Amino acid sequence: MKKIRIAALCAAVLLALAAPAAAWADVSADAWYAPAVEFCQREGLMDGMGADAFVPGGAVTRGQLVTTLWRLAGRPAAPDADFADVSADAWYAPAVAWAVDAGVTDGVGGGNFDPDGALTREQLAAFLYRFAGRPEAAGASGFADAGAIAPWAADAADWARSAGVMQGRGEGQFQPQGGAVRAELAQVLKNFVEKVLRAPRALPLSEGVRPVGAAVEAGGAVIVTDAGGFGLWRVTDSGCTLLAGGAEGYRDGKAAQAAFASPWGVAPFLGGWAVSDPENDAVRLVRGGAVESLNGLGFAAPTGLAADDAGNLYVACTGSGTVWKVTPTGQKSAAAEGLDGPTGLAWADGALYVAETEGGRVLRIADGVTETLAAIDGATGLAVAGDGTVFAAATAQGAVYRIAPDGAVRAVVAAPEDPETAPWPAAPVGLALRGGEVLICDRFAGTLTAVQLG
């Protein structure tokens, strides 16, 4: 009996990490702000103020802040902003234009933005609050000097404290008109990214669902394979519906009566959804209210699936070390052979991406050429963004890694230091991208989680 064992598929040893951040001469390793400075440099949010100086006590200007937030937003283009004190060729002009277009700021009045003005703490709170979409706060800020906070910044200060983004400066004081320094900004940005932008959001699943693989419909609904209930589900932000299966075994026919042994990967194919079923050595097709097997194609423990722009299906056969290409007319040919435990697949921009789980590599195959993007053992699920950034789930590590186009690898979602208070993620498997979110299937925790990733 063939059992696909997650532990065997995931050696869970990270072999390559991003290059370490530069060491600033004025940032000691034990400084309270050192982790935040390293985070902001790694994320590309803040640079130094010289060859080897970060200047942690330096004042932050309004132009510097909007530039930092613009980077965090992905450097989007926007119509020029009409401020008398912002010239079109100023280094901060694209960021100011974006901030106005996004509703993050409307200037200081009188047709000015004041880019060189010192940023105050209440301004910092207001910028972040608007960037976050003006969310509701848990309650009153509780700052001893709350009466000194400008009315336009009161909600922002309330939210910043309740969300864990900004705290006081001692004795319960917010010091709203106090200037923000670079060390404080680094810490606030780290808090904002980790606690607000990348806070995991669980999508609703029915009881007992154990998601393994995911694909996204054009309208945003998520199609999920379920190892717990042996079926296929359609998940939206308001609920989920069983599309096929619900019983363990091997039975084709009407979708509601079908049975799967181990539904794993899912990808669009022939107007329906192809579902890999490794314990049955089969790929099943769910469409038109029925389930049928792609018979006669000889799959050995198929796991990951992907579809290209021409409608071809790619099947990772973990048991044979082969990735097969299946055309819409049923022709089968090898897209890659001699691999060591291939599982996760993704297709993007004319290239096939493969998670060679036991071989410890993430591969890119294009025009007959195979290249190693990163050495990550235990990768089981892949998703590729439009800019070529690859996300890889490492199940046994409880982590999701980001492989940048330049080859740098870093963890963007990782197991918490205290699993008693923050148990997620447990063991991510399949990944999918939906807009600016990565969707993470956690088979063992029984969760489908959306995380904003930069």
Side-chain angles (χ1 to χ4, degrees), residues 2-27:
K2 295 181 179 178
K3 290 287 185 179
I4 302 302
R5 299 179 180 177
I6 294 294
L9 290 176
C10 304
V13 177
L14 181 63
L15 298 181
L17 293 173
W24 305 112
D26 55 356
V27 178

Side-chain angles (χ1 to χ4, degrees), residues 8 51 58 61 102-103 118 120 177 186 204 209 225 248-249 277 296 303 348 388 391 400 419 440:
T61 68
T120 66
Q177 284 80 47
V209 173
T225 58
E248 184 177 9
D277 193 351
T303 51
F391 296 97
V400 175
I440 304 173

Side-chain angles (χ1 to χ4, degrees), residues 120-122 143 145 148-149 168-170 172-179:
T120 66
R121 285 171 53 81
E122 64 183 4
F143 291 118
D145 55 353
I149 301 173
R169 279 183 164 174
Q173 301 285 320
F174 183 65
Q175 296 184 11
Q177 284 80 47

Side-chain angles (χ1 to χ4, degrees), residues 398-425:
V400 175
Y401 292 96
R402 177 185 185 272
I403 307 170
D406 64 3
V409 181
R410 63 178 173 85
V412 291
V413 177
E417 293 182 1
D418 184 2
E420 293 296 327
T421 59
W424 187 90

